Amino acid sequence: MALKRGLSSVRVLSNRSSGSRLPIAILVFFSVLAPLVFFVGRGLYISDQNSIQSDFSKQNVDWRERLALQSIKNLFTKEVVDVVTTSTADLGPLNLDSFRKGNLSASWKVVGVETSVQDNAISKSNQKATDLKQETSQDKEGKFLDDDHSHDTPAKILRRQLRDDRREKRATELVKQDEKVTVKLENAAIERSKAVDSAVLGKYNLWRRENENVNSDSTVRLMRDQIIMSKVYVSIAKSKNKLELQQELQIRLKEIQQALGESTADSGLPHSASEKIKEMGKVLSKAREQLFDCKLVTGKLRAMLQTSEEQVRRLKKQSMFLSQLAAKTIPYSIHCLSLRLTIQYYLLPQEKRKFPRSENLENPNLYHYALFSDNVLAASVVVNSTIMNAKDPSKHVFHLVTNKLNFGAMNMWFLLNPPGKATIHVENVDEFKWLNSSYSPVLRQLETASMKEYYFKADHPTVSGSSNLKYRNPKYLSMLNHLRFYLPQVYPKLDKILFLDDDIVVQKDLTGLWSVDLHGKVNGAVETCGQSFHRFDKYLNFSNHHISRNFDPNACGWAYGMNMFDLKVWKKKDITGIYHKWQNMNEDRALWKLGTLPPGLITFYGLTHPLEKSWHVLGLGYNPSVHKKEIEHAAVIHYNGNMKPWLDLAMTKYRPYWTKYVKYDHHYLRSCNLSE
């Protein structure tokens, strides 16, 4: 029994011990293996976090670079961004001020490194790159020795290594830089200069594309640009005491001015011009490197512009003076023609001085023309052009009136050159005995001392020299100019007459003008007003109450030169009496200054019928913009202005319309050297 109890107790203990082994194993596992797994897993987690943080920092840097690049692209062109990117990759951020001033070369330099464009540049660049790497590595080592980074985190150490690698890469790429960046910069400068009209900087550079321009005056314009810039730099060099550079600029300036001379096209330049341009370009580039200051250059150019404007104003005044002088004088050749014809006329017997068909002079059924002139050649063109374009010349009658100096010449010319079947008659205004100072107010005024002083006093205080010369024009003092206000007195038996100036050319048959209904008006004329131009306020003094109370300042003006006058209505309205009234009121020249158009506008106010503009085209004596089609479709073209077709200052493109009616093969014209 005792043995059984012992065996049973042993079984119980063995059963208990086997049942307790599993908890003990679990306890041993958690106490030994679990900490090991924890520490291994944490080490792996830290490693992953470091790699993730590194990747995130890289992404963050890439994101900032992309954002900065997008902003830069909105501000600069692609070429400029390329330059900034390359330079930034080489030496860090650039100074924008230095970039705007074009001083990039200074920011590209690194101590101990110099670029060259010679053939051995590549080998030298490689050697210098090696030296630069060594210097950079030495600097880097020294920096690490000096600075204590033992407590930096792995991320900071990694970023520092990346920065050092970038710096080393920049130094290497800098040495390998070739001319492509320079070419891009120059092309960008060219495009910017083209976009700015007032830009003159860079025009003298040898690489500028204007040098390759095929235009006939591209080289001339380039030389003028070089002259302008050289004058600017000469002034700046003098102010900065750069005497050697100033002297060099002055020498090149003198050379290129001599080469340019008076040339206006490349064909007139000497062969040495291209060499002078190159030499000047080199000097100007040198001056730009040493002296260029945007504010200073702008100031010099502005001063030059103001000086040029003042010279232009002075030359305009001189040009006005000379044009007035030329307009009031008679060319030597025409004066010669008049003298030769006058001598020949007074050598003729009395019976040969008469024109045929004198019975037509007072026939109201024919087409009558009034022409008042002292210019033989001009009068001949008016008559010839009218006859050559007339459908039936036999029905046309020309009434010419001249002064006593040209009376013989005018008669002799038309005796030698009769106008075909047309009728012509020449009279002398000085033989009109009824036209005297007691009858004509203007004739009385022209004889007064005050009028002579007004027209001839050189130091007149109220007018400039050119205007004073304009007042001295003989046409304003001649009764031939004022005779148009006395047509019924000159031709009492005529009903209608067409008045023509001597500076017109007839291109079509004019008989249709006699069929135009003037609606009870006296004067048929082409109006000249356009918007605010050529209205009454341009010719009359509306500050005077006599003018302001009787006339509309916006009333449309009209032109003398081709006017159809109804002489019957003229007499009924007493037009000559109206003219005398206003001429007497203007004795002190308070209503208008000079000429016959202002008193004509007053006299025929409300009595003028507008004609179609194609009848009479004006402006060929002053306006270079008259359209060719308008001229060709006109019945009469008028050279009103100073540039008369018989003068040397006539506009070339309008002159052939007049010269084709001149008989240049006539022996009198050849003897006086009159030619096209």
Side-chain angles (χ1 to χ4, degrees):
M1 289 297 292
L3 178 61
K4 287 182 180 179
R5 260 189 228 110
L7 291 172
S8 63
S9 62
V10 170
R11 288 190 191 100
V12 172
L13 289 173
S14 63
N15 289 337
R16 287 178 181 176
S17 63
S18 63
S20 61
R21 286 174 187 173
L22 181 60
I24 294 172
I26 294 172
L27 180 61
V28 171
F29 174 78
F30 281 105
S31 61
V32 177
L33 296 178
L36 179 63
V37 171
F38 172 76
F39 287 113
V40 171
R42 180 170 178 79
L44 294 174
Y45 172 76
I46 292 173
S47 176
D48 292 340
Q49 284 293 98
N50 290 336
S51 63
I52 291 171
Q53 185 175 1
S54 176
D55 294 339
F56 177 76
S57 62
K58 291 181 180 179
Q59 292 177 1
N60 191 23
V61 172
D62 294 340
W63 173 79
R64 290 177 180 175
E65 289 181 353
R66 287 197 301 272
L67 181 60
L69 183 60
Q70 184 177 0
S71 301
I72 289 295
K73 286 182 178 179
N74 295 330
L75 297 175
F76 301 102
T77 62
K78 183 177 181 303
E79 291 81 359
V80 176
V81 172
D82 291 341
V83 176
V84 175
T85 303
T86 303
S87 302
T88 304
D90 294 336
L91 292 178
L94 282 174
N95 188 332
L96 290 182
D97 291 335
S98 64
F99 180 80
R100 292 191 189 100
K101 293 179 180 179
N103 296 328
L104 287 176
S105 57
S107 65
W108 292 347
K109 292 182 180 179
V110 178
V111 177
V113 179
E114 295 180 357
T115 58
S116 177
V117 294
Q118 299 176 357
D119 295 335
N120 58 353
I122 297 176
S123 61
K124 290 184 179 180
S125 299
N126 293 332
Q127 180 64 32
K128 290 176 181 178
T130 304
D131 297 340
L132 186 60
K133 288 180 181 179
Q134 294 175 357
E135 292 178 5
T136 306
S137 62
Q138 291 173 3
D139 293 340
K140 186 166 60 177
E141 292 173 0
K143 185 175 183 181
F144 280 125
L145 291 174
D146 294 338
D147 299 336
D148 184 12
H149 300 292
S150 59
H151 301 290
D152 288 347
T153 63
K156 289 185 179 180
I157 296 173
L158 180 61
R159 285 197 297 271
R160 185 165 57 253
Q161 290 176 350
L162 290 173
R163 284 197 300 269
D164 294 338
D165 291 341
R166 281 202 304 271
R167 287 169 182 165
E168 186 175 354
K169 184 178 179 181
R170 289 172 197 160
T172 303
E173 292 180 353
L174 173 65
V175 180
K176 296 180 180 179
Q177 186 76 18
D178 55 14
E179 295 181 354
K180 291 183 179 180
V181 175
T182 305
V183 173
K184 289 181 180 180
L185 183 61
E186 290 171 351
N187 291 336
I190 291 172
E191 297 301 325
R192 289 197 302 272
S193 64
K194 287 182 177 179
V196 182
D197 295 337
S198 61
V200 296
L201 297 178
K203 285 190 175 182
Y204 50 79
N205 288 325
L206 298 180
W207 47 262
R208 186 166 178 83
R209 291 180 179 175
E210 280 193 6
N211 289 340
E212 301 173 1
N213 198 331
V214 296
N215 293 338
S216 60
D217 61 342
S218 60
T219 306
V220 171
R221 288 188 286 111
L222 176 62
M223 296 174 74
R224 289 172 179 168
D225 290 344
Q226 288 185 329
I227 290 173
I228 292 173
M229 292 308 302
S230 62
K231 289 180 179 179
V232 170
Y233 283 126
V234 164
S235 178
I236 297 175
K238 183 178 180 180
S239 63
K240 293 189 176 183
N241 202 26
K242 300 280 187 179
L243 301 181
E244 184 177 349
L245 182 58
Q246 176 190 356
Q247 185 178 4
E248 188 175 1
L249 282 166
Q250 288 175 338
I251 293 173
R252 298 304 178 193
L253 175 61
K254 185 176 181 181
E255 290 178 352
I256 203 165
Q257 284 177 333
Q258 291 176 348
L260 180 61
E262 300 295 331
S263 301
T264 57
D266 293 355
S267 58
L269 295 174
H271 296 293
S272 60
S274 59
E275 194 64 30
K276 303 296 183 184
I277 292 174
K278 292 180 181 179
E279 295 298 325
M280 176 61 88
K282 293 178 182 178
V283 177
L284 288 174
S285 298
K286 178 180 177 181
R288 187 179 189 278
E289 292 177 359
Q290 298 184 21
L291 304 175
F292 180 73
D293 184 316
C294 186
K295 185 176 180 180
L296 189 58
V297 170
T298 303
K300 294 294 182 181
L301 289 173
R302 186 181 292 111
M304 292 176 65
L305 178 61
Q306 292 174 352
T307 303
S308 300
E309 288 177 348
E310 182 61 31
Q311 290 177 349
V312 168
R313 284 193 292 269
R314 186 165 58 252
L315 290 174
K316 280 184 177 179
K317 291 181 180 180
Q318 185 179 4
S319 176
M320 288 177 61
F321 179 86
L322 294 175
S323 63
Q324 293 292 344
L325 182 64
K328 85 181 191 70
T329 57
I330 299 176
Y332 167 79
S333 54
I334 296 179
H335 184 64
C336 166
L337 176 64
S338 180
L339 288 176
R340 288 178 177 272
L341 291 171
T342 300
I343 294 172
Q344 189 66 27
Y345 175 77
Y346 287 108
L347 293 176
L348 287 176
Q350 193 69 30
E351 62 274 10
K352 292 185 178 181
R353 298 181 183 178
K354 296 180 180 180
F355 292 99
R357 294 179 290 276
S358 59
E359 65 278 4
N360 293 335
L361 296 177
E362 297 181 351
N363 185 349
N365 297 321
L366 300 178
Y367 306 112
H368 294 264
Y369 301 85
L371 176 60
F372 307 149
S373 175
D374 58 357
N375 189 325
V376 177
L377 194 62
S380 70
V381 170
V382 175
V383 174
N384 289 345
S385 62
T386 305
I387 295 301
M388 291 177 66
N389 292 285
K391 295 179 180 178
D392 187 0
S394 63
K395 294 183 179 181
H396 295 261
V397 181
F398 294 90
H399 302 267
L400 271 68
V401 180
T402 187
N403 54 27
K404 60 183 178 182
L405 293 176
N406 294 281
F407 177 73
M410 199 75 73
N411 276 280
M412 190 64 201
W413 176 263
F414 288 105
L415 287 172
L416 293 173
N417 305 278
K421 296 180 180 180
T423 303
I424 194 166
H425 180 63
V426 181
E427 295 181 272
N428 181 4
V429 66
D430 297 308
E431 293 180 357
F432 293 164
K433 302 302 181 184
W434 53 270
L435 190 61
N436 50 54
S437 58
S438 61
Y439 174 70
S440 173
V442 66
L443 192 59
R444 183 183 70 253
Q445 292 168 8
L446 290 174
E447 293 176 354
T448 61
S450 61
M451 184 67 74
K452 291 178 180 178
E453 182 181 11
Y454 179 77
Y455 277 113
F456 292 106
K457 189 174 181 180
D459 57 346
H460 198 283
T462 61
V463 293
S464 62
S466 59
S467 299
N468 196 24
L469 187 65
K470 182 178 181 179
Y471 296 152
R472 300 182 199 177
N473 196 316
K475 73 176 183 178
Y476 298 119
L477 305 177
S478 172
M479 275 308 299
L480 286 176
N481 199 39
H482 296 271
L483 194 61
R484 64 193 68 192
F485 294 103
Y486 300 97
L487 289 174
Q489 288 78 10
V490 180
Y491 311 109
K493 295 185 179 181
L494 300 180
D495 296 335
K496 278 188 174 183
I497 195 166
L498 183 64
F499 173 79
L500 299 175
D501 273 343
D502 62 357
D503 55 353
I504 63 100
V505 172
V506 178
Q507 300 186 127
K508 294 182 180 179
D509 181 72
L510 300 179
T511 54
L513 286 169
W514 275 262
S515 302
V516 174
D517 185 5
L518 298 181
H519 301 283
K521 305 295 179 63
V522 180
N523 176 25
V526 171
E527 293 182 335
T528 57
C529 59
Q531 297 180 355
S532 62
F533 300 102
H534 297 287
R535 297 186 182 272
F536 271 43
D537 59 351
K538 178 180 178 181
Y539 303 99
L540 304 177
N541 179 19
F542 275 86
S543 63
N544 186 285
H545 67 279
H546 294 294
I547 297 295
S548 59
R549 285 188 306 184
N550 292 281
F551 305 101
D552 179 9
N554 294 318
C556 190
W558 46 268
Y560 271 125
M562 190 211 71
N563 305 81
M564 176 58 69
F565 290 111
D566 189 329
L567 300 183
K568 285 185 177 181
V569 182
W570 183 308
K571 295 173 186 176
K572 290 180 182 179
K573 301 287 186 181
D574 190 20
I575 298 300
T576 303
I578 296 173
Y579 165 69
H580 283 174
K581 169 192 170 183
W582 286 100
Q583 192 67 50
N584 282 323
M585 294 172 62
N586 193 48
E587 188 160 359
D588 58 352
R589 297 168 302 281
L591 307 184
W592 68 87
K593 290 298 182 184
L594 74 166
T596 55
L597 181 56
L601 296 175
I602 291 176
T603 302
F604 296 103
Y605 184 67
L607 299 172
T608 300
H609 174 74
L611 299 176
E612 290 290 335
K613 293 187 180 297
S614 60
W615 281 111
H616 185 192
V617 171
L618 300 101
L620 276 71
Y622 72 91
N623 184 9
S625 303
V626 182
H627 201 277
K628 184 178 181 180
K629 289 185 178 179
E630 190 178 359
I631 296 174
E632 292 175 349
H633 293 159
V636 172
I637 56 175
H638 194 173
Y639 292 84
N640 57 313
N642 289 331
M643 300 179 183
K644 302 299 183 186
W646 55 83
L647 298 176
D648 291 337
L649 50 81
M651 282 184 271
T652 307
K653 64 178 180 178
Y654 298 148
R655 204 164 183 266
Y657 297 106
W658 186 85
T659 56
K660 70 179 182 178
Y661 295 106
V662 179
K663 299 179 179 180
Y664 285 106
D665 57 345
H666 198 282
H667 66 279
Y668 275 102
L669 270 63
R670 291 200 307 269
S671 63
C672 290
N673 296 322
L674 273 165
S675 60
E676 295 185 56

